Amino acid sequence: MTFTWFGPIPRVMIPDPELVKEVLSNKFGHFGKQSSRIAKLLAEGVVSHEGEKWAKHRRILNPAFHHEKIKRMLPVFSTCCAETITKWENSMPSEGSFEVDVWPEFQNLTGDVISRTAFGSSYQEGMKIFQLQGELAERLVQSFQTIFIPGYWFLPTKNNRRMREIDREIRKTLREIIRKREKAIKDGKTNNDDLLGLLQESNMNESKGNAKLGLSTEDVIEECKLFYFAGMETTSVLLTWTLIVLSLHPEWQERAREEVRNHFVRAKPDFDSLSRLKTVTMILYEVLRLYPPATFIVRRTYKEMELGSIRYPAGVNLLLPILFIHHDPEIWGKDASEFNPARFADGVSNASKL
Ligand code: HEM
């Protein structure tokens, strides 16, 4: 357990998984989410809401992520992957080896997938958002030290001005996509197969003509920004580490290849057979354990709270260290820092000593 200052905010790291569960289950509603200026700029939406507001947003979002709907998006995943692989194959020299920097390749792949699955017919505008969000994230990283200086964000520095401009541009583009789509729905000209269409359909069903019961256009904009932010970087980090560890462990690479060959010898991947890929799933779980794309989660105490026989005052940051917990030998055994997908042979719940 450690204590640090995060700018002016006291922050305590909670490494005990039982206490982490207690914080996340938030039974009494006293462990809240920590909003920040960065989060506001990148994406708010359901991930930053709490209580009634969170429940309402989740209720409206859930139908869009139903597995029957995701099944219909599979051809899009397949097309995007095939395009990436064809690009790599075409870059191959007829002899010798060839190097690919997979990180930007996977960022493009996941950006492409999310643009098509979220905005289907407005794909071009979706790609524009993807590029703008990439630039925004880069600029935020560059100015990371300054975000805790009170008032700094309001200074008209070149970087701040550009970040605000990007934010306005993203919102404007999304507002136009949403308006266009609303009109198409009214004219009966859309098939609602992408995330935005499904979200709008679900929103209309929920609000039943009473706007207060549904999400506003600004709410929908935030959820769309969240699809990009939550879905893209995370997935490309996972894919990049997967290729790295598979290149370091050719025996697992061969086992995964063999399994894929056995399942998809003739057919294209479909939803049900993908969920039967046991070795590939074990590998992905192990990569998520060793290199979790979200390395920590933060919550904060709303009022004085007791946790693990320590009393915390209101306003304390609680850092839930996913990365640390995933590497703890007391939880995973002596080989905690090694790549061993076999630990997931009997599923997630049997992989650790918890
Ligand atoms: C390997 C991939 C991913 C990882 C590791 C990951 C990780 C996480 C984590 C740790 C949270 C909890 C954040 C918190 O409560 O503070 C979260 C929430 C969320 N993620 Fe992901 N995510 C991944 C992929 C995706 C994708 C593909 C999407 C959608 C396109 C997505 C959408 C969301 C949403 C909407 C939430 C908020 C849920 C809620 O608060 O009810 N994520 N994710």
Side-chain angles (χ1 to χ4, degrees):
M1 247 177 137
T2 59
F3 164 77
T4 52
W5 285 96
F6 191 62
I9 307 164
R11 176 176 270 190
V12 180
M13 182 174 90
I14 311 289
D16 177 348
E18 286 309 317
L19 298 183
V20 168
K21 267 192 225 166
E22 207 174 312
V23 174
L24 289 178
S25 73
N26 192 21
K27 263 190 226 131
F28 305 105
H30 296 154
F31 295 116
K33 291 180 179 170
Q34 177 71 47
S35 77
S36 69
R37 214 168 291 138
I38 297 197
K40 271 201 172 81
L41 204 58
L42 283 172
E44 285 199 293
V46 66
V47 73
S48 58
H49 301 325
E50 296 176 294
E52 279 294 301
K53 192 169 181 190
W54 174 83
K56 173 178 156 186
H57 280 238
R58 266 308 281 254
R59 206 169 42 244
I60 297 175
L61 276 176
N62 274 353
F65 288 94
H66 190 274
H67 71 266
E68 282 303 325
K69 309 281 185 200
I70 302 290
K71 258 186 196 178
R72 282 198 246 151
M73 295 175 187
L74 268 188
V76 172
F77 297 175
S78 175
T79 308
C80 294
C81 290
E83 275 175 19
T84 303
I85 293 166
T86 308
K87 188 178 142 206
W88 291 356
E89 278 171 352
N90 291 342
S91 315
M92 284 276 287
S94 49
E95 271 176 58
S97 62
F98 158 67
E99 202 176 286
V100 183
D101 185 356
V102 287
W103 169 235
E105 293 288 319
F106 282 146
Q107 279 182 306
N108 280 328
L109 171 65
T110 55
D112 200 18
V113 167
I114 199 78
S115 300
R116 286 177 205 250
T117 49
F119 302 117
S121 55
S122 312
Y123 166 73
Q124 294 298 344
E125 293 100 311
M127 281 307 272
K128 188 172 143 196
I129 297 169
F130 154 62
Q131 275 144 8
L132 287 168
Q133 259 207 338
E135 188 188 337
L136 189 62
E138 236 166 66
R139 284 178 180 272
L140 273 170
V141 171
Q142 278 166 21
S143 61
F144 196 70
Q145 284 96 333
T146 61
I147 55 174
F148 301 107
I149 303 173
Y152 185 87
W153 167 243
F154 298 99
L155 289 178
T157 62
K158 206 171 154 196
N159 204 31
N160 282 354
R161 281 207 311 267
R162 178 65 189 143
M163 287 202 286
R164 284 222 195 92
E165 195 179 274
I166 296 174
D167 186 44
R168 277 196 299 271
E169 182 84 24
I170 292 177
R171 284 169 186 282
K172 193 173 135 223
T173 312
L174 281 169
R175 209 167 287 127
E176 274 163 19
I177 298 178
I178 293 166
R179 280 227 186 93
K180 218 162 73 180
R181 200 63 72 83
E182 275 168 356
K183 186 171 180 307
I185 294 176
K186 274 189 198 129
D187 298 346
K189 283 187 193 150
T190 176
N191 57 10
N192 287 351
D193 253 4
D194 54 20
L195 281 178
L196 175 61
L198 293 165
L199 177 56
Q200 283 174 315
E201 184 183 75
S202 166
N203 198 25
M204 275 168 29
N205 293 341
E206 190 69 24
S207 60
K208 296 185 188 81
N210 180 352
K212 276 197 192 135
L213 297 175
L215 303 182
S216 66
T217 303
E218 292 308 302
D219 287 336
V220 175
I221 290 178
E222 285 308 325
E223 296 304 340
C224 291
K225 278 173 66 184
L226 181 61
F227 294 159
Y228 269 93
F229 179 65
M232 202 193 91
E233 205 88 340
T234 46
T235 319
S236 45
V237 167
L238 167 62
L239 292 174
T240 301
W241 278 113
T242 304
L243 283 212
I244 292 172
V245 291
L246 286 181
S247 68
L248 293 169
H249 299 273
E251 68 286 7
W252 281 101
Q253 188 181 146
E254 198 33 59
R255 283 178 65 173
R257 210 184 282 281
E258 192 58 31
E259 184 180 57
V260 171
R261 270 200 215 109
N262 286 341
H263 276 82
F264 305 120
V265 69
R266 264 169 250 109
K268 272 193 177 173
D270 63 88
F271 194 83
D272 296 324
S273 39
L274 278 175
S275 31
R276 280 196 292 273
L277 291 177
K278 194 174 172 211
T279 306
V280 171
T281 303
M282 279 157 53
I283 292 171
L284 292 176
Y285 284 156
E286 183 66 339
V287 176
L288 284 171
R289 183 186 72 84
L290 281 172
Y291 308 103
T295 51
F296 62 86
I297 296 179
V298 178
R299 292 291 186 262
R300 94 187 153 100
T301 51
Y302 266 143
K303 52 183 283 185
E304 193 180 82
M305 273 307 283
E306 188 168 321
L307 184 68
S309 65
I310 296 179
R311 287 198 84 75
Y312 296 96
V316 171
N317 248 203
L318 302 173
L319 183 129
L320 315 177
I322 300 178
L323 183 69
F324 182 91
I325 293 170
H326 283 190
H327 286 250
D328 187 348
E330 283 190 19
I331 299 173
W332 302 95
K334 273 194 275 192
D335 67 348
S337 51
E338 280 160 39
F339 176 73
N340 175 19
R343 74 177 88 240
F344 286 104
D346 297 319
V348 175
S349 45
N350 294 313
S352 76
K353 294 180 182 170
L354 286 177

